[in-house]
Amino acid sequence: MDMQLVAEGFEFPEGPIAMNDGSVILTEIKAGRLTRVHPDGRKETVVETGGGPNGAAIGPDGAIYITNNGGSFTWPTQDGLTIPGPTPDTHKGGYIQRFDLATGELKTLYDSCDGRPFVGPNDLVFDKQGGFWFSDHGASTPDGRRFGALYYAKIDGSHVSRQRDHLIAPNGVGLSPDEKTVYLADTQLGRLWAFDVVEPGVLAPPQGFAPGRSICNLPGVQFLDSLAVEASGKVCVATILNGGITAFDPNGTVEHYPVPDFITTNICFGGPDMKTAWITASSTGKLYKTTWPRPGLKLNFNA
């Protein structure tokens, strides 16, 4: 697959959004900002968010909603590459932010659920009703792993609910084309989970010991990051160590598309036919684009 370098020099890019004007807005987790990348590769800062902006998505009101991990990583370097390290002692938790593209207002929408602070919000996706599912990745501490969770929230600040708890390292989140399934990639397990939606914002109770249905576990040591869904229903998950994008069919079969960065973190789709894929290569700080073999699923909202 031909990979075209669009821009470079980012500080751990993630959360790409393919905008209507042909630009891409992405997060820079290490730098604590959102950046717009124009089709010619020119970059401009959209907003300084602070913390660690991880995922970003356009809501029904045209604003950008941001899952901010609150600075839950340290940033060691290895052979000139940027690597996300353990959670620093200064980390106090993460939050959900809303940035108004028209007015420039940035505000925190949520920082807790039922009185329990978030650890490290990571990724999000909007459903047709205008609410959003988001993952909390948890964090690594000297005493062990702090569990993550899967949440659902409304954009007016009136409702956030914890729909699955005690997950190891929930990362990328997406919806099936019919929105009857929430997909969640677990980084540490190398596993893609599927959860059945019984009504907007509500998951079916888990059956047995597992929190959901396991679509597939990748063999060996492969970590999963953020994701996007194809129009066909395949789930394209950025893959770490085996750097690239792994496309999971809901039947459990997979295919891998290599990217020249062993920490490939995210993918989004756009273009007239939804076959242009933008991919964040984070340890090298680059944004690539390529023609995907199948069209991506058009998201519910854009700006």
Side-chain angles (χ1 to χ4, degrees):
M1 185 177 295
D2 181 44
M3 291 281 169
Q4 177 185 341
L5 178 63
V6 178
E8 57 188 330
F10 300 106
E11 296 189 60
F12 212 84
E14 242 269 38
I17 308 170
M19 304 295 287
N20 284 334
D21 65 359
S23 68
V24 173
I25 292 179
L26 53 75
T27 65
E28 292 187 69
I29 304 177
K30 182 182 177 184
R33 64 178 172 241
L34 267 62
T35 300
R36 187 187 294 269
V37 184
H38 294 271
D40 62 1
R42 179 170 54 90
K43 300 183 292 184
E44 64 174 323
T45 298
V46 175
V47 61
E48 302 280 353
T49 63
N54 206 305
I58 303 294
D61 55 357
I64 301 179
Y65 289 79
I66 304 158
T67 42
N68 194 312
N69 64 40
S72 65
F73 297 110
T74 50
W75 299 101
T77 57
Q78 176 181 316
D79 300 325
L81 304 176
T82 301
I83 312 295
T87 303
D89 294 338
T90 54
H91 182 248
K92 303 300 182 184
Y95 32 90
I96 306 299
Q97 295 172 299
R98 177 190 183 274
F99 177 69
D100 191 314
L101 283 162
T103 67
E105 179 191 28
L106 176 71
K107 68 178 182 180
T108 296
L109 193 63
Y110 299 101
D111 60 12
S112 63
C113 177
D114 298 330
R116 192 169 105 189
F118 300 142
V119 182
N122 187 282
D123 194 19
L124 73 164
V125 63
F126 278 90
D127 63 15
K128 290 182 173 67
Q129 285 71 34
F132 60 98
W133 294 92
F134 71 95
S135 60
D136 187 324
H137 187 60
S140 297
T141 75
D143 298 320
R145 181 89 193 158
R146 293 185 67 186
F147 285 124
L150 175 63
Y151 294 89
Y152 184 83
K154 295 182 178 180
I155 65 169
D156 61 2
S158 66
H159 169 84
V160 59
S161 61
R162 190 180 300 107
Q163 290 293 311
R164 279 296 185 277
D165 211 341
H166 291 94
L167 300 172
I168 303 297
N171 198 311
V173 62
L175 286 164
S176 61
D178 62 8
E179 300 199 353
K180 294 181 179 179
T181 304
V182 176
Y183 292 107
L184 184 72
D186 188 294
T187 301
Q188 300 295 330
L189 296 180
R191 177 182 298 160
L192 182 65
W193 288 111
F195 303 99
D196 296 324
V197 179
V198 294
E199 61 182 90
V202 180
L203 297 182
Q207 297 182 356
F209 294 105
R213 293 181 286 112
S214 176
I215 298 298
C216 181
N217 263 62
L218 293 184
V221 182
Q222 300 184 64
F223 296 146
L224 295 181
D225 209 294
S226 294
L227 61 83
V229 177
E230 296 182 10
S232 68
K234 289 180 183 285
V235 185
C236 299
V237 189
T239 311
I240 297 173
L241 298 185
N242 185 16
I245 304 295
T246 303
F248 293 78
D249 192 279
N251 67 15
T253 60
V254 300
E255 51 192 317
H256 186 77
Y257 300 89
V259 174
D261 192 318
F262 82 110
I263 303 182
T264 302
T265 57
N266 212 335
I267 178 173
C268 73
F269 294 107
D273 58 2
M274 294 299 291
K275 291 180 72 174
T276 301
W278 285 269
I279 298 170
T280 49
S282 296
S283 76
T284 55
K286 296 178 180 179
L287 175 68
Y288 290 98
K289 77 173 181 179
T290 188
T291 300
W292 200 251
R294 299 168 296 272
L297 180 66
K298 190 172 184 178
L299 296 176
N300 289 314
F301 307 105
N302 206 319

